C-alpha cells in the first residue's frame, strides 16, 4: 500500500521539504533574510528552474527554540552553515566529485565549535570526546566509517581513508587511529576538542544523574549495581576535570596512547526523555527497553538537540554521495555508537538516492532509516520527498524516534523532513546561492 496518504497528512504539520535546488533565497544574518530562507525551505511548490547539481547539509535536529537562541548565536551558526555550503559548491562548480564536495562541507562543520562533530564534540560520561563518521560513494557503493576515535581532527577524512585505502568499511577506536597514523594523518591532542560549553553540558548531565539515582541495566547488559564500569570510585567522587593530556607523539604506524578518562562526578543515573511539547509529533508513552539515553542539552540555549552534521551532493556527472559526522550523545557510556557511522542507518548513497540522518540513533539503526528511504525510491518507485517524509514522519514517529534527514536523488530533487521542532539545514544549487534554515515554522 502506498504511503502517500501519510505524507500528505504530515505535510502541513511537520517540516518536510520537497523541492528542486534553485535560487530561492540568500543566507543572511538579517531577520528579513533569515525569514525568507526559513520560508523557502518549507515550500511544497517546485521552483521553475531545475539545476543539474547541488549540495544539501544539516547540523543536527531536535528541540530548537527561537526564544533560547540568541541573535548572535543564531547568526554565527547560520554563517557556519553558509560557509559549509560554499565550500561544497566550490568543488562542484569546478566539475569536482560529489564525494569531494560532501567531505569539504562536513570538514567546515567539524571545525566549528557550534556543532556536535569534530571541534564541537560533546563529552562522554568519563569526560572524553568520542567521534564517529561515515562516507559513501553512490556511484561505486564504496563506503568507509570510523567510530570511537579520540584524536582525529576531521573524522570524515579518516572515514574516507578507510574507504579508499583499506579493504574494510569500518574501523574503531585505537585501531582506527593506528590506521590513521599509517596513512600519515596527524593525531591531535585531546585538548583540541575542549570547549567550555560542551564541558558544562556534561556537568549538567552528571548533576541530573546524581539527583535521580542509579539506572536500570542497559538492554543486553548485566546490572551494574555494585560493580564496574559505571560505579563511582571507592573514595568520595570528585567532579570530572577537563582533559589536559592527549596524544603523545608516536612513531608512524604505531597506535597513540589514548587519553585517560576522568572519573565520573557521581554514580550514573537514568534520565527520562523530555515530555512532548504541544504541537509536536507523538512519542511512545514508555521509553524503549534498556534506553537511558536522551539528547544532549545545549548549555547555552537549554534546548535538547541530537548533534550531528551531514551532507549529500549530486555532481555534474550525476553521481551522488553522502557523509555524516558526530560526537555522539552527551554523557554516553560503555562505548555507545549511534547511527551516524552505520552504513544504511545514518549514512547511505547509491546511484538513485543519498541520505544523511540526524536524531536518536538507536531508532535510526533499528529501522535502517537511510537505506529504507532509498529502497522505497528504488523498489516502490516513490518520489524521493514522499519516501523520505513517510519514513521520518510515519515510521519513526510511530516507533518513537525523533530526528530528521537530508536526502537527494539523481534528478536533483531534495527532501529535508524532520519530526522535531527544528533542524539546522541548508542547500545550494548551481547558481551558488546558499539557503539556510533552522526552525520548523518560518
Amino acid at each position: 500500500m502506498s504511503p502517500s496518504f501519510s505524507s500528505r497528512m504530515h505535510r502541513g504539520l511537520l517540516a518536510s521539504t520537497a523541492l528542486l535546488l534553485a535560487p530561492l533565497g540568500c543566507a543572511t544574518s538579517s531577520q528579513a533574510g533569515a525569514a525568507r530562507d526559513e520560508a523557502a525551505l518549507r515550500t511544497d511548490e517546485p521552483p521553475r528552474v531545475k539545476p543539474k547539481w547541488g549540495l544539501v547539509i544539516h547540523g543536527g535536529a531536535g528541540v530548537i527554540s527561537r526564544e533560547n537562541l540568541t541573535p548572535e548565536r543564531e547568526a554565527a551558526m547560520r554563517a557556519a552553515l553558509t560557509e559549509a555550503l560554499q565550500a561544497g559548491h566550490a568543488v562542484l562548480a569546478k566539475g569536482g566529485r560529489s564525494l569531494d564536495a560532501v567531505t569539504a562541507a562536513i570538514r567546515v562543520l567539524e571545525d566549528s565549535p557550534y556543532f556536535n562533530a569534530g571541534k564541537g564534540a560533546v563529552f562522554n560520561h568519563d569526560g572524553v570526546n568520542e567521534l564517529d563518521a561515515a562516507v559513501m560513494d553512490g556511484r561505486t557503493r564504496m563506503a568507509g566509517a570510523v567510530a570511537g576515535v579520540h584524536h582525529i581532527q576531521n573524522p570524515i577524512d579518516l572515514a574516507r581513508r578507510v574507504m579508499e585505502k583499506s579493504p574494510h568499511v569500518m574501523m574503531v577506536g585505537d585501531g582506527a587511529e593506528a590506521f590513521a597514523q599509517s596513512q600519515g594523518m596527524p593525531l591531535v591532542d585531546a585538548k583540541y576538542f575542549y570547549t567550555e560549553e560542551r564541558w558544562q553540558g556534561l556537568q549538567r548531565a552528571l548533576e541530573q544523574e546524581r539527583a535521580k539515582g542509579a539506572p536500570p541495566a542497559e538492554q543486553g547488559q548485566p546490572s551494574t549495581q555494585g560493580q564496574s564500569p559505571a560505579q563511582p570510585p571507592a573514595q568520595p567522587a570528585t567532579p570530572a576535570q577537563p582533559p589536559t593530556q592527549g596524544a603523545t607523539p608516536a612513531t608512524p604506524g604505531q597506535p597513540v596512547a589514548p587519553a585517560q578518562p576522568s572519573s565520573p562526578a557521581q554514580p550514573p543515573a537514568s534520565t527520562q526523555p523530555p515530555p512532548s511539547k504541544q504541537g509536536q509529533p507523538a512519542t511512545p508513552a514508555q521509553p524503549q527497553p534498556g534506553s537511558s539515553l536522551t539528547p544532549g542539552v545545549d548549555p547555552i540555549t537549554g534546548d535538547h538537540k541530537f548533534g550531528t552534521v551531514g551532507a549529500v551532493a549530486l555532481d555534474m556527472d550525476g553521481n551522488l554521495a553522502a557523509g555524516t559526522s558526530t560526537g555522539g550523545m552527551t554523557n554516553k557510556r560503555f562505548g555507545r555508537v549511534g547511527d551516524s557511522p552505520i552504513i544504511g542507518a545514518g549514512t547511505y548513497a547509491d546511484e538513485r538516492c543519498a541520505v544523511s540522518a540526524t536524531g536518536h540513533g538507536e531508532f535510526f539503526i533499528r529501522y535502517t532509516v537511510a537505506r529504507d528511504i532509498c529502497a522505497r525510491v528504488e523498489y516502490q518507485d516513490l518520489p524521493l520527498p514522499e519516501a523520505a517524509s513517510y519514513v521520518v514522519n510515519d515510521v519513526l514517529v510511530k516507533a518513537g524516534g525523533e530526528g530528521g534527514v537530508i536526502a537527494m536523488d539523481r534528478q536533483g530533487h531534495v527532501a529535508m523532513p524532520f519530526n522535531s521542532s527544528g533542524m539546522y539545514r541548508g542547500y545550494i544549487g548551481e547558481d551558488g546561492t546558499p539557503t539556510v534554515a533552522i526552525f520548523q515554522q518560518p
Side-chain angles (χ1 to χ4, degrees):
M1 179 176 64
S2 171
S4 60
F5 75 96
S6 181
S7 298
R8 289 193 296 269
M9 178 181 67
H10 286 284
R11 189 169 292 146
L13 175 63
L14 301 175
S16 176
T17 303
L19 66 156
L20 302 175
L21 293 174
L24 294 179
C26 178
T28 173
S29 59
S30 70
Q31 291 183 343
R36 183 168 60 249
D37 287 352
E38 292 285 343
L41 290 187
R42 280 183 51 82
T43 180
D44 289 327
E45 296 298 326
R48 288 186 288 271
V49 179
K50 176 183 174 184
K52 297 178 182 178
W53 52 268
L55 173 79
V56 191
I57 63 172
H58 72 77
V63 180
I64 304 169
S65 55
R66 278 189 172 87
E67 57 270 22
N68 288 337
L69 195 62
T70 66
E72 295 78 14
R73 188 175 181 85
E74 179 180 343
M77 299 185 82
R78 287 181 182 274
L81 291 166
T82 299
E83 182 184 353
L85 289 170
Q86 292 170 334
H89 181 270
V91 173
L92 296 173
K94 297 176 182 178
R97 298 169 59 194
S98 55
L99 190 63
D100 294 328
V102 163
T103 54
I106 291 176
R107 198 178 299 117
V108 171
L109 298 177
E110 287 179 333
D111 290 342
S112 169
Y114 294 109
F115 301 96
N116 178 19
K119 173 64 177 175
V122 300
F123 290 93
N124 71 5
H125 184 70
D126 297 317
V128 176
N129 308 101
E130 291 180 326
L131 313 172
D132 311 327
V135 66
M136 189 166 185
D137 185 344
R139 182 178 64 87
T140 63
R141 301 284 184 102
M142 295 290 288
V146 294
V149 296
H150 305 291
H151 304 96
I152 304 299
Q153 181 172 340
N154 293 108
I156 196 67
D157 288 339
L158 182 54
R160 184 165 177 179
R161 293 288 183 94
V162 171
M163 179 182 75
E164 296 179 334
K165 302 296 184 180
S166 86
H168 310 302
V169 171
M170 177 178 280
M171 297 183 185
V172 302
D174 292 344
E177 295 192 347
F179 173 74
Q181 289 182 282
S182 75
Q183 294 295 308
M185 294 185 68
L187 302 182
V188 299
D189 193 288
K191 289 184 290 186
Y192 167 79
F193 302 102
Y194 178 84
T195 63
E196 184 63 21
E197 292 180 10
R198 301 304 190 192
W199 185 250
Q200 292 306 318
L202 173 62
Q203 303 314 305
R204 289 170 185 259
L206 293 174
E207 289 174 4
Q208 291 174 356
E209 286 192 345
R210 181 171 63 247
K212 292 186 177 180
E218 296 285 329
Q219 187 175 19
Q221 300 267 353
S223 171
T224 57
Q225 293 276 0
Q227 55 182 298
S228 61
Q231 290 299 302
Q235 306 240 340
T238 58
Q241 297 299 317
T244 56
Q245 296 200 350
T248 55
T251 304
Q254 296 297 321
V256 68
Q260 293 298 317
S262 305
S263 299
Q266 290 294 331
S270 62
T271 54
Q272 296 299 322
S276 299
K277 293 188 177 182
Q278 187 174 7
Q280 291 190 24
T283 55
Q286 298 296 327
Q288 290 290 313
S291 176
S292 63
L293 291 169
T294 59
V297 178
D298 188 310
I300 301 299
T301 67
D303 289 338
H304 291 270
K305 176 174 168 289
F306 299 98
T308 313
V309 304
V312 296
L314 174 71
D315 61 31
M316 291 182 182
D317 294 325
N319 298 321
L320 293 157
T324 313
S325 182
T326 187
M329 285 183 170
T330 298
N331 198 31
K332 63 184 179 181
R333 295 176 290 156
F334 310 130
R336 179 263 183 186
V337 176
D339 65 303
S340 296
I342 307 299
I343 301 302
T347 307
Y348 183 79
D350 58 28
E351 65 275 12
R352 297 176 180 83
C353 170
V355 178
S356 174
T358 172
H360 198 152
E362 280 67 19
F363 292 93
F364 284 71
I365 294 171
R366 292 169 186 149
Y367 290 87
T368 57
V369 165
R371 172 55 185 160
D372 188 17
I373 291 170
C374 292
R376 292 173 187 276
V377 172
E378 180 178 359
Y379 298 124
Q380 291 185 298
D381 200 27
L382 289 179
L384 174 70
E386 188 174 330
S389 180
Y390 181 72
V391 173
V392 171
N393 294 327
D394 190 288
V395 175
L396 277 178
V397 167
K398 288 177 179 176
E402 184 180 0
V405 303
I406 55 172
M408 196 169 186
D409 68 14
R410 59 186 174 188
Q411 286 80 36
H413 297 91
V414 171
M416 304 182 196
F418 55 97
N419 60 30
S420 55
S421 65
M423 182 171 76
Y424 297 97
R425 61 205 188 275
Y427 73 83
I428 192 166
E430 60 179 324
D431 72 314
T433 302
T435 304
V436 170
I438 300 175
F439 308 105
Q440 184 187 104
Q441 299 296 331

